[in-house]
């Protein structure tokens, strides 16, 4: 399995930031408007690295905006408030990003977070939990799967930054669990495909907003670094079938049913390109060089210029394993 350690994330993020900063101005005006939040829900907070959009009573999406190279948060997340607790989705890329999210949760819900759900182990989602224990507040309960915990703890990096992962409330990987917030129930649902162990966070069993982690991306081409593509496809389709009005992707602007259909079409186009390459004996570098996102699917910025190659290679790896 190819994995991105926290150290590797830190060492490569400067290059990714430079790539985003260079590529951002090349987007079309409609794409830039989407990224900037022109058509966003009501924005209740904004910084150079993220904005917060209101999704309903006590529910908010944190939308990271890394196009200028500010990697304080990097991934999207969320705030879900209830009468007896507050969930924040993701630990973000830095303790500073997590602390900012916690401060916003307190400002918006009247309570410092009581629960943190981390959807998977990649450093942009998992590196910052120490920030939740600052400002003299009670450290919230960190929730993740055992697989996510073990992958974080075994990856090279700052041991102090990994310290909060020694005390994780494990989310079982064989079925959903609920977090009781008094006036609201939040379901944490085990899934897989982007990594070996992913979680989605669902309000009112999918009738409310759904936080998808990196199973879903919008306007940014997905990272297949640790993906098992067929499992990713199944998980994405399961999320799509829920029929929620709002999906919070791991990266990019908020998604609705139309965006989800476009995203499914995107990952299907990657599969088709990879299967064609497999049949013809073409390697992932050459297949990626020939691949283009279908024009009707719009613009999909890449966090890193090799994401097409990673996606096709992930499919070739899976197709190769299926032969034996």
């Amino acid at each position: 399995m190819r994995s991105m350690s926290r150290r590797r994330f830190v060492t490569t993020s400067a290059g990714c930031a430079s790539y985003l900063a260079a590529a951002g101005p090349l987007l079309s005006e409609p794409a830039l408007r989407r990224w900037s939040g022109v058509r966003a829900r009501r924005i209740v907070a904004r910084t150079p690295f993220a904005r917060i959009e209101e999704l309903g009573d006590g529910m908010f999406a944190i939308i990271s905006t890394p196009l200028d190279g500010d990697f304080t948060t990097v991934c999207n997340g969320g705030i879900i408030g209830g009468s007896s607790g507050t969930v924040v989705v993701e630990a973000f890329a830095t303790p500073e990003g997590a602390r900012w999210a916690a401060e916003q949760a307190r400002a918006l819900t009247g309570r410092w977070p009581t629960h943190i759900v981390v959807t998977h182990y990649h450093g942009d989602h998992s590196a910052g939990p120490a920030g939740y224990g600052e400002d003299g507040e009670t450290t919230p309960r960190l929730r993740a799967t055992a697989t996510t915990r073990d992958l974080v703890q075994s990856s090279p990096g700052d041991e102090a930054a990994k310290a909060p992962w020694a005390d994780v409330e494990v989310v079982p990987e064989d079925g959903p669990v609920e977090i009781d917030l008094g006036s609201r129930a939040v379901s944490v649902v085990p899934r897989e495909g982007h990594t070996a162990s992913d979680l989605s966070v669902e309000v009112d069993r999918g009738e409310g907003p759904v936080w998808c982690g990196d199973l879903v991306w919008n306007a940014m081409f997905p990272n297949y670094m640790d993906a098992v593509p067929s499992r990713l496809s199944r998980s994405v389709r399961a999320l799509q079938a829920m029929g929620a009005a709002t999906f919070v992707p791991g990266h990019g602007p908020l998604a609705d049913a139309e965006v989800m259909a476009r995203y499914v079409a995107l990952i299907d186009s990657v599969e088709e390109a990879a299967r064609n390459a497999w049949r013809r004996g073409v390697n992932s570098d050459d297949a990626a060089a020939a691949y283009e996102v279908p024009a009707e699917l719009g613009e999909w910025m890449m966090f890193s210029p090799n994401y097409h190659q990673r996606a096709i290679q992930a499919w070739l790896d899976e197709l190769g394993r299926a032969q034996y």
Side-chain angles (χ1 to χ4, degrees), residues 188-217:
V188 181
V189 183
R191 301 187 186 275
E192 59 180 353
H194 175 65
T195 69
S197 181
D198 302 286
L199 294 172
S200 60
V201 179
E202 305 165 10
V203 176
D204 296 333
R205 294 175 174 80
E207 294 183 7
V210 176
W211 279 262
C212 305
D214 280 4
L215 292 166
V216 175
W217 298 54

Side-chain angles (χ1 to χ4, degrees), residues 129-245:
Y132 288 117
E134 299 182 6
D135 288 350
E137 297 284 351
T138 302
T139 303
R141 296 158 72 181
L142 183 64
R143 292 174 179 252
T145 67
T147 299
T148 291
R149 176 201 61 199
D150 294 346
L151 287 167
V152 170
Q153 290 182 319
S154 63
S155 57
D158 182 354
E159 294 304 314
K162 291 193 286 187
W165 285 91
D167 187 24
V168 171
E169 186 163 336
V170 171
V171 176
E173 298 182 48
D174 59 355
V177 297
E178 285 202 349
I179 300 176
D180 183 2
L181 299 181
S183 58
R184 173 172 285 141
V186 175
S187 298
V188 181
V189 183
R191 301 187 186 275
E192 59 180 353
H194 175 65
T195 69
S197 181
D198 302 286
L199 294 172
S200 60
V201 179
E202 305 165 10
V203 176
D204 296 333
R205 294 175 174 80
E207 294 183 7
V210 176
W211 279 262
C212 305
D214 280 4
L215 292 166
V216 175
W217 298 54
N218 182 18
M220 184 173 273
F221 193 90
N223 178 10
Y224 279 68
M225 177 171 286
D226 291 324
V228 177
S230 65
R231 295 176 184 175
L232 171 66
S233 181
R234 286 195 294 271
S235 289
V236 171
R237 283 172 161 80
L239 290 167
Q240 181 189 31
M242 295 171 62

Side-chain angles (χ1 to χ4, degrees), residues 122 175 288:
H122 285 164

Side-chain angles (χ1 to χ4, degrees), residues 251-277:
H251 298 272
L254 292 175
D256 56 15
E258 180 182 350
V259 170
M260 289 294 285
R262 190 161 60 242
Y263 179 64
V264 168
L266 174 70
I267 61 176
D268 285 351
S269 79
V270 171
E271 178 179 356
E272 181 180 8
R275 288 186 181 277
N276 285 338

Side-chain angles (χ1 to χ4, degrees), residues 59-187:
M59 297 184 292
F60 306 88
I62 297 173
I63 305 297
S64 287
T65 52
L67 294 189
D68 291 330
D70 188 329
F71 278 29
T72 301
T73 50
V74 181
C75 72
N76 294 342
I79 298 167
I80 309 167
S83 60
S84 62
T86 295
V87 171
V88 171
V89 183
E90 306 297 14
F92 303 101
T94 67
E96 293 77 15
R99 185 172 65 249
W100 174 81
E103 290 168 349
Q104 295 301 314
R106 181 169 57 191
L108 293 166
T109 71
R111 183 181 288 106
W112 194 261
T114 53
H115 308 270
I116 309 301
V117 178
V118 178
T119 61
H120 64 287
Y121 87 101
H122 285 164
D124 54 327
H125 296 251
S126 67
Y132 288 117
E134 299 182 6
D135 288 350
E137 297 284 351
T138 302
T139 303
R141 296 158 72 181
L142 183 64
R143 292 174 179 252
T145 67
T147 299
T148 291
R149 176 201 61 199
D150 294 346
L151 287 167
V152 170
Q153 290 182 319
S154 63
S155 57
D158 182 354
E159 294 304 314
K162 291 193 286 187
W165 285 91
D167 187 24
V168 171
E169 186 163 336
V170 171
V171 176
E173 298 182 48
D174 59 355
V177 297
E178 285 202 349
I179 300 176
D180 183 2
L181 299 181
S183 58
R184 173 172 285 141
V186 175
S187 298

